[in-house]
Amino acid sequence: QVQLRESGGGLVQAGGSLTLSCAASGRTGRTVSNNGLGWFRQSPGKEREFVAAISWRGESKNYAESVKGRFTISRDNVRNTLNLQMDDLQPEDTAVYYCAVARSSYASTGRRDYQYWGQGTQVTVSS
């Protein structure tokens, strides 16, 4: 099994920045380093939605249209960590953010493409 733990969430004013991190532990050798990783978010009353994803080597990245140009995803395969740099945050970015491990090596965008999920970290952006 793989355990994922997100950190870095918090309260920030509109226009501010936050960096989320996700640390993987457990049987990470064949299920994290060789797999795509992603970030999703969920706000109250809404379904969990795709935010960003990165392929196992980091050469391919996908972003939701709503965060393009503001968020940057990166990974460190030695430390088994995943990061999400979020700039110019807006109130509509308020949500619980989850990191996840894909079933494949691709930067998948579908929720069903992911097999392991963290517990989430809250991001709140005030106007």
Side-chain angles (χ1 to χ4, degrees), residues 1 5 17-18 39 48-49 74 82 86 103 107 114 127:
Q1 287 292 326
R5 174 175 288 186
S17 298
L18 282 174
W39 287 98
R48 191 170 298 187
E49 65 174 3
S74 62
L82 174 70
M86 306 186 294
R103 303 180 192 277
Y114 288 79
S127 58

Side-chain angles (χ1 to χ4, degrees), residues 105-116:
S105 62
Y106 304 113
S108 302
T109 62
R111 190 174 61 184
R112 295 181 180 180
D113 296 328
Y114 288 79
Q115 55 181 327
Y116 297 111

Side-chain angles (χ1 to χ4, degrees), residues 2-127:
V2 173
Q3 292 80 43
L4 302 173
R5 174 175 288 186
E6 303 93 340
S7 62
L11 174 63
V12 64
Q13 290 187 335
S17 298
L18 282 174
T19 300
L20 303 184
S21 296
C22 176
S25 60
R27 299 180 63 181
T28 60
R30 293 181 61 83
T31 53
V32 175
S33 300
N34 295 335
N35 287 52
L37 300 175
W39 287 98
F40 288 74
R41 67 186 182 187
Q42 188 169 18
S43 49
K46 295 186 178 181
E47 291 190 356
R48 191 170 298 187
E49 65 174 3
F50 168 75
V51 175
I54 186 168
S55 60
W56 76 283
R57 289 181 176 177
E59 79 282 9
S60 178
K61 301 176 184 180
N62 287 318
Y63 295 94
E65 285 296 325
S66 60
V67 307
K68 276 184 180 178
R70 300 188 299 122
F71 291 12
T72 303
I73 190 171
S74 62
R75 64 186 294 166
D76 185 331
N77 285 346
V78 174
R79 299 180 179 179
N80 286 322
T81 57
L82 174 70
N83 293 320
L84 185 68
Q85 174 67 39
M86 306 186 294
D87 297 318
D88 190 24
L89 283 161
Q90 300 301 315
E92 52 266 33
D93 295 316
T94 295
V96 177
Y97 283 71
Y98 300 88
C99 65
V101 179
R103 303 180 192 277
S104 74
S105 62
Y106 304 113
S108 302
T109 62
R111 190 174 61 184
R112 295 181 180 180
D113 296 328
Y114 288 79
Q115 55 181 327
Y116 297 111
W117 295 83
Q119 294 299 308
T121 185
Q122 176 71 47
V123 171
T124 303
V125 184
S126 63
S127 58

